[in-house]
Amino acid sequence: MSNFYNKVSLAYTKPMNKRMTLQEISQANQWINGENDTLSVNSYGMPQSGSTVSQRESSSFLPVTQPASAPASPVGSPVSQLLSDLSNITLDPNWQAIKSTVRERNAAMFNNDLMADIYFVVGNPGHTQRIPSHKYILATGSSVFYAMFYGGLADTKEEIEVPDVEPTAFLTLLRYLYCDEIQLEPDTVLATLYVAKKYIVPHLARACVNYLETSLTAKNACLLLSQSRLFEEPELMQRCWEVIDAQAEIALHSDGFVDIDADTLQSVLGRETINCKETILWEAAMNWASAECSRREIEPTPSNKRQVLDSALYLLRLPAMSLEEFANGPAQMGMLTLEETVDLFLHYTASNKPRLTYPTKPRIGLKPQTCHRFQSCAYRSNQWRYRGRCDSIQFSVDRRVFIVGFGLYGSSTGASDYTVKIELKRLGHILAENNTKFFSDGSSNTFHVYFAHPVQVDPELFYTASAILDGAELSYFGQEGLSEINAGCVTFQFQCSSESTNGTGVQGGQIPELIFYGPISENH
C-alpha cells in the first residue's frame, strides 16, 4: 500500500499550487469510480488494504440541502457569526460534556483554531482565506489528505497554499468531512465538484453531480456540458446532450453558450441529433467567435472570427440551409471566401455541383415519439361536443422527456377547420401555450398541434395537458383509456384533472396523444 500513497502524494500534493490537469482529474475519477485494479475505497474515502474488487459508489447519499435563495456561507449562516459561535462553544473547558455524539464534537472543530495542526491558505492571491483544520479528521475522510499528512512523502508544513480552489468550496468540503453534511449552492456547486475530485471524496462528488442533474435546464446545459467534459462525468454529459438536442434553440441562445471551451463548441456544431435549423447553429457559432475574440483581446472582425473558429467552421452544414437563408445570412457576413460563396451558390442552383468543404447532408435531429392513451375511438353514439370548454388530463413520467405537442381528435361530421388553444402546466403555472389551427378531414385520425419549443418534463412530477377547441361541434373521442402506458422506454401515468370541464378523463375523451422527445432505448 505504500506505493499507492507515494503515487497519490506525487499526483496531488505537488499540484497544490496549481490547478488540476485533465490527466489528474481522470486519475481522480478512476479512484472515485473504483476503476483502479488494486485499490478499493471504503465509505470514508480511505483505501481498503488487500482489496482488488472495483467499487462503485452507493446510490444512497447524505441529505443534500439545495436552497433556492442567493448563495450563503457554506454552513447556512454568516461566516463571522459561525466562527463566533464555534469560539463560544469551545471556550468552555468542559465543552465536550454537552456534545453527546462524535459527530457533534467533530462539528465543533469545524473551521476552529482549537487544536488545529494544519492551516490552508485557500483562494487566488489577494482573495485568500486562512482556514484551520485537523489532520486526523481530514485523513480519515480523504485518501489524498492521508497521503499528504501520513504517506511516504508526507508534507511537514504547517501551512499549505491552495490557490486553485475557492474558499467557499473548500469549506463545503470540510463541512462534509467534519459534520457529514452537504449544502450546495448554484453558484458554487461546480467549484465544490472540482475540490471533491481533487481530494477524492466520492460521496461529495456524486452529490454535486446529482445536484447539477436536477438543476439542468436548456439555459445552463451547454455550460454544464463543458464542465462535465472537464470533470469526465459521462452521465451528466448524457443528460446535458438530451437537453441540448431537444431544446437546441434555447440552449444555443443562452448567455452561457459563448463561455464554453473550443472542444465543446466543436462537439455541439458536429452533433448529428441536435434539433434546430442550421441558421441557429450559424448564429451561435458567430456569437461564440465574437466572445472568443474579446477573450483574446482582438477585434471581432470577420477574419478574426474565422481564425478563432478554426476547423469548427467546417462543421456547420451551410448547404443544409435554404438558398434564401444562405443568401441573406452567411453569404453577406464576410466570413466565407469568395470561392466558398460562389461554390455554395452553385451547389444550390447548378446541375453540376462543385465539391464543398462543408457537410451537405442535413442533420438527422430527433424523431418525435408518441404516447397513445386510448385503445379505441368512437363517434355518433354519445357524441363528443365542443362548446368552448376545457379538455384536460394530468400525467407524469418516470424519465425526463420533452413535450413537443398533442395529438387531437377532429370532426366526426365531415371536414372542418379548428382553432385550438393548448397549454402545458405544472401546479397551475403555465410552462407553454399556443393558439393555433388545424384542419380535420373528417376521419378518426389524430391531428398534431405543437408548442413553439419543446418543454422539459421531469420525472415523478404531475403536469396538466389542456386543450380548448373551436370548430365543428361534433367530434371523435377516445375510449378504453389506460392509466399507465409504456411509450418506448418511458412510462406515462395518467390521472383525471380538476380543470377538465368537457368530460375528458383517464377512461375517455380528448387529447389522445402526447408527442415528445425522449430516450429511444435503454442504452441511451
Side-chain angles (χ1 to χ4, degrees):
M1 292 303 293
S2 60
N3 289 336
F4 164 72
Y5 292 120
N6 290 339
K7 189 176 182 181
V8 174
S9 184
L10 284 170
Y12 291 98
T13 305
K14 183 177 179 181
M16 287 299 137
N17 293 318
K18 66 177 183 179
R19 192 163 185 83
M20 288 175 74
T21 65
L22 288 173
Q23 181 180 2
E24 292 162 352
I25 291 175
S26 178
Q27 192 174 27
N29 273 314
Q30 291 176 9
W31 281 315
I32 285 177
N33 294 327
E35 296 168 6
N36 187 292
D37 292 336
T38 60
L39 175 72
S40 179
V41 293
N42 61 23
S43 59
Y44 295 99
M46 290 297 298
Q48 294 174 324
S49 60
S51 174
T52 58
V53 181
S54 65
Q55 172 184 341
R56 302 295 296 182
E57 282 303 308
S58 169
S59 60
S60 59
F61 297 101
L62 298 171
V64 180
T65 306
Q66 301 183 10
S69 58
S73 71
V75 291
S77 62
V79 173
S80 58
Q81 182 63 45
L82 169 67
L83 296 177
S84 175
D85 292 344
L86 291 175
S87 298
N88 291 336
I89 289 172
T90 54
L91 281 177
D92 182 349
N94 195 33
W95 65 270
Q96 298 90 338
I98 62 174
K99 304 295 181 185
S100 61
T101 66
V102 172
R103 180 178 176 277
E104 288 179 314
R105 292 190 288 275
N106 280 348
M109 293 293 97
F110 169 60
N111 208 3
N112 195 333
D113 286 293
L114 181 65
M115 296 185 286
D117 52 1
I118 188 69
Y119 285 83
F120 292 89
V121 180
V122 184
N124 294 321
H127 300 86
T128 61
Q129 184 173 341
R130 190 170 185 265
I131 299 174
S133 299
H134 306 79
K135 293 180 179 179
Y136 168 76
I137 291 178
L138 300 187
T140 58
S142 162
S143 56
V144 175
F145 283 131
Y146 184 92
M148 189 186 303
F149 302 135
Y150 302 106
L153 299 176
D155 200 326
T156 58
K157 296 178 184 177
E158 293 184 359
E159 188 172 279
I160 296 175
E161 294 183 357
V162 191
D164 60 325
V165 173
E166 295 181 14
T168 303
F170 195 82
L171 285 168
T172 301
L173 169 71
L174 295 189
R175 187 178 186 210
Y176 168 68
L177 296 179
Y178 278 78
C179 311
D180 272 352
E181 294 179 9
I182 301 174
Q183 183 168 331
L184 301 174
E185 301 282 355
D187 289 353
T188 59
V189 63
L190 285 171
T192 303
L193 176 59
Y194 174 78
V195 73
K197 293 276 191 177
K198 182 181 180 76
Y199 293 107
I200 311 183
V201 182
H203 288 76
L204 180 58
R206 177 48 51 188
C208 291
V209 171
N210 289 347
Y211 182 98
L212 290 170
E213 287 183 357
T214 58
S215 60
L216 178 63
T217 68
K219 292 184 178 180
N220 64 16
C222 290
L223 196 55
L224 287 183
L225 174 66
S226 181
Q227 295 296 326
S228 62
R229 286 166 57 89
L230 172 66
F231 292 128
E232 295 185 350
E233 286 291 342
E235 292 182 10
L236 180 57
M237 287 174 60
Q238 178 60 32
R239 299 295 180 271
C240 290
W241 278 125
E242 289 174 4
V243 173
I244 294 168
D245 280 345
Q247 297 180 302
E249 187 169 346
I250 299 173
L252 297 177
H253 284 155
S254 65
D255 294 338
F257 178 80
V258 298
D259 295 323
I260 64 177
D261 62 278
D263 288 341
T264 303
L265 175 71
Q266 290 208 358
S267 295
V268 172
L269 297 184
R271 184 78 171 171
E272 186 71 33
T273 50
I274 198 164
N275 207 53
C276 67
K277 297 176 67 175
E278 202 66 28
T279 52
I280 301 298
L281 284 158
W282 170 268
E283 292 169 6
M286 296 305 104
N287 291 337
W288 184 90
S290 295
E292 182 65 13
C293 287
S294 298
R295 287 189 285 268
R296 298 188 189 186
E297 298 181 346
I298 58 177
E299 288 294 319
T301 61
S303 60
N304 284 340
K305 288 195 287 187
R306 178 163 183 146
Q307 178 185 347
V308 299
L309 281 170
D310 196 24
S311 59
L313 181 66
Y314 298 105
L315 297 173
L316 291 163
R317 306 187 183 191
L318 301 184
M321 296 181 184
S322 69
L323 174 59
E324 183 179 2
E325 288 170 339
F326 174 74
N328 292 322
Q332 299 189 38
M333 294 185 64
M335 289 287 296
L336 307 178
T337 65
L338 179 60
E339 181 182 0
E340 287 174 330
T341 303
V342 171
D343 282 349
L344 281 161
F345 274 120
L346 289 174
H347 173 82
Y348 287 110
T349 57
S351 298
N352 186 19
K353 300 183 186 301
R355 180 185 294 272
L356 299 177
T357 53
Y358 297 92
T360 58
K361 292 184 178 180
R363 300 172 197 272
I364 295 174
L366 293 177
K367 182 179 180 181
Q369 301 179 62
T370 304
C371 174
H372 306 269
R373 67 187 195 93
F374 298 126
Q375 298 182 75
S376 64
C377 67
Y379 71 106
R380 291 181 182 160
S381 61
N382 301 320
Q383 290 279 17
W384 201 265
R385 298 175 180 271
Y386 296 126
R387 295 172 180 170
R389 293 185 297 221
C390 180
D391 288 292
S392 184
I393 192 72
Q394 285 192 317
F395 70 95
S396 68
V397 292
D398 64 341
R399 302 180 68 170
R400 176 188 285 123
V401 300
F402 301 85
I403 298 296
V404 178
F406 307 148
L408 302 175
Y409 288 125
S411 170
S412 62
T413 57
S416 176
D417 289 309
Y418 282 91
T419 60
V420 59
K421 178 181 180 181
I422 57 172
E423 289 184 337
L424 185 65
K425 295 192 283 190
R426 161 83 180 137
L427 298 176
H429 175 66
I430 298 176
L431 303 177
E433 62 180 340
N434 190 22
N435 290 286
T436 186
K437 298 179 180 181
F438 71 90
F439 172 74
S440 168
D441 59 8
S443 71
S444 60
N445 296 330
T446 58
F447 304 93
H448 292 177
V449 292
Y450 301 97
F451 295 109
H453 302 287
V455 185
Q456 180 173 316
V457 167
D458 293 317
E460 314 306 335
L461 301 174
F462 271 96
Y463 295 80
T464 302
S466 301
I468 300 176
L469 289 91
D470 184 18
E473 186 175 330
L474 299 180
S475 165
Y476 287 91
F477 60 95
Q479 296 185 134
E480 301 177 278
L482 300 174
S483 60
E484 180 174 311
I485 299 169
N486 293 321
C489 56
V490 181
T491 300
F492 285 78
Q493 299 275 352
F494 291 96
Q495 66 181 29
C496 293
S497 168
S498 60
E499 297 183 25
S500 188
T501 58
N502 199 42
T504 289
V506 174
Q507 297 298 319
Q510 185 52 276
I511 316 181
E513 296 173 339
L514 299 180
I515 308 165
F516 67 98
Y517 296 136
I520 58 176
S521 74
E522 290 297 337
N523 292 330
H524 288 213

